[in-house]
Amino acid sequence: MIDKNVDLDVFFKKSELIPAIVQDYENGEVLMLAYMNRESLGRTLETGLTWFWSRSRGELWNKGATSGHVQRVMSLSYDCDEDTLLCKVIQTGAACHTGNRTCFYRELMNNEEK
């Protein structure tokens, strides 16, 4: 269900930043986690491309603006507590700044049976 009447301020009641999980639209792979502020969320909604707030640089960041590894947003959802976003994207190139497709390329634990 698309809620076009939602006030974006609802997402920033607890904090100025909201986590945004970025997931591959086609296969469901989790690509990265980043943070959005109100301005980056607004720009994402306006442009259809992901915009984040860089905590390390203290500035807005348009994913792929310099690398060409853009993320075209196919859907944007929010959780029941209105404090986390899920961005389903079509990823061009690598999502991770290391050059890996996903930022989650290292395992800390794996109990899956083979």
Side-chain angles (χ1 to χ4, degrees):
M1 172 177 65
I2 298 174
D3 188 355
K4 294 188 179 202
N5 298 318
V6 68
D7 178 1
L8 297 186
D9 290 333
V10 72
F11 301 117
F12 304 98
K13 289 180 181 177
K14 297 176 187 173
S15 175
E16 293 179 8
L17 297 176
I18 186 171
I21 301 163
V22 181
Q23 184 179 33
D24 186 285
Y25 176 73
E26 295 171 342
N27 66 21
E29 181 180 29
V30 175
L31 300 173
M32 58 183 281
L33 170 74
Y35 292 87
M36 289 186 177
N37 63 8
R38 193 179 193 306
E39 185 177 0
S40 63
L41 176 55
R43 287 190 186 195
T44 297
L45 291 169
E46 289 169 15
T47 65
L49 300 172
T50 54
W51 284 79
F52 303 108
W53 178 257
S54 171
R55 296 180 302 161
S56 60
R57 294 189 311 265
E59 63 185 18
L60 287 175
W61 158 46
N62 176 217
K63 177 66 177 156
T66 55
S67 67
H69 298 169
V70 296
Q71 296 173 335
R72 185 164 57 102
V73 179
M74 300 305 291
S75 71
L76 188 57
S77 306
Y78 55 96
D79 73 336
C80 57
D81 294 324
E82 300 171 332
D83 64 2
T84 304
L85 298 172
L86 176 62
C87 304
K88 293 185 181 182
V89 304
I90 294 179
Q91 176 71 49
T92 300
C96 186
H97 72 280
T98 64
N100 287 287
R101 169 141 175 89
T102 173
C103 291
F104 298 96
Y105 59 92
R106 299 178 288 185
E107 286 188 350
L108 188 59
M109 185 173 121
N110 185 343
N111 284 329
E112 296 175 2
E113 290 186 48
K114 301 288 179 186

